[in-house]
Amino acid sequence: MVEWRISEGLTPYDMALNEMEARVGDIAAGNAEELIWLVEHPPLYTAGTSARPEDLTDPGRFPVHDARRGGQYTYHGPGQRVVYVMLDVGARGRDVRRFVESLEAWVIATLAEFNLRGEIRAGRVGVWVARPEKPPLPDGTPREDKIAAIGIRLRKWVSFHGLSINVEPDLSHFDGIVPCGIRGHGVTSLVDLGLPVTMADLDMALRRTFDTVFAGD
């Protein structure tokens, strides 16, 4: 059984880290169920293990936290659903690549609930949305905007951290970093794309699609 938890209001980042680490230890020891934890954070930047100093372009804008997850810099803040995924990857096949692909598929299936096509790209972490109405990049590459970020860590084959999906955050807050180290392409949200989706709508879609993606694990 997987427990689902939704925290109201804004959850301090350090508190979330501490609670995740404790829960991961309990899951690994067989003392707790797996957990999907849905939160929002106050505005902040997180640095993954591959973060490059030059990608933090406005270091004084918001607090910067060492996330100790994979990946580079990302932003969290109000209007963005952060999904912390504490699952026993050891019991689900011990295939990290397949697990990450399942997280991507989960995001894509969730976006499809709102008739939005999310896509993945080789060499670019996260889930992207084509923006044919925007001018292409200088080299002619079609424009795409990122709508979801993914970054995990494993301890004793239990995952933590997870993913974030932009519902209606202040997109200008991403300007203080190079999101996930990717230059040229932008960032978008469900509301920015003209979809009147609420956080509760997204939460229900995440719950509906989870079993579809992870049922076979």
Side-chain angles (χ1 to χ4, degrees):
M1 296 293 294
V2 179
E3 177 188 349
W4 283 73
R5 182 193 306 169
I6 301 175
S7 290
E8 301 297 331
L10 301 179
T11 301
Y13 190 76
D14 287 340
M15 177 191 298
L17 280 183
N18 291 337
E19 290 200 22
M20 273 195 291
E21 295 201 359
R23 183 61 172 249
V24 164
D26 288 341
I27 294 169
N31 297 326
E33 295 177 336
E34 297 173 303
L35 174 65
I36 303 295
W37 185 20
L38 309 180
V39 306
E40 286 180 83
H41 288 305
L44 57 92
Y45 298 128
T46 68
T49 54
S50 302
R52 298 175 297 195
E54 63 269 24
D55 288 345
L56 181 61
T57 58
D58 191 356
R61 187 167 188 181
F62 298 124
V64 181
H65 295 264
D66 179 8
R68 303 190 295 277
R69 51 150 175 82
Q72 302 187 39
Y73 281 106
T74 193
Y75 165 78
H76 295 316
Q80 180 193 72
R81 177 52 88 207
V82 178
V83 184
Y84 289 130
V85 179
M86 286 155 271
L87 297 177
D88 188 344
V89 180
R92 294 170 179 268
R94 294 197 172 206
D95 187 333
V96 178
R97 181 183 296 274
R98 179 169 175 264
F99 179 68
V100 172
E101 289 173 349
S102 294
L103 293 177
E104 293 170 337
W106 185 25
V107 174
I108 289 170
T110 299
L111 297 177
E113 294 277 298
F114 308 106
N115 296 314
L116 180 63
R117 181 182 176 86
E119 300 177 312
I120 57 174
R121 292 289 182 264
R124 280 198 262 135
V125 180
V127 177
W128 298 79
V129 176
R131 303 302 300 271
E133 75 280 10
K134 290 188 173 183
L137 298 180
D139 65 358
T141 302
R143 271 289 302 274
E144 296 173 333
D145 286 346
K146 191 171 190 174
I147 194 166
I150 296 174
I152 65 165
R153 185 180 177 189
L154 296 183
R155 179 178 295 160
K156 296 183 178 179
W157 286 102
V158 179
S159 67
F160 57 124
H161 297 282
L163 56 97
S164 59
I165 301 175
N166 298 329
V167 179
E168 192 179 7
D170 185 336
L171 296 178
S172 71
H173 288 180
F174 287 87
D175 295 344
I177 58 171
V178 178
C180 300
I182 298 167
R183 300 177 185 273
H185 296 285
V187 180
T188 190
S189 70
L190 289 161
V191 171
D192 180 56
L193 292 167
L195 299 170
V197 177
T198 67
M199 198 68 73
D201 293 333
L202 180 69
D203 292 347
M204 288 188 288
L206 285 164
R207 188 67 182 267
R208 282 194 300 268
T209 55
F210 179 83
D211 288 338
T212 302
V213 174
F214 289 94
D217 292 350

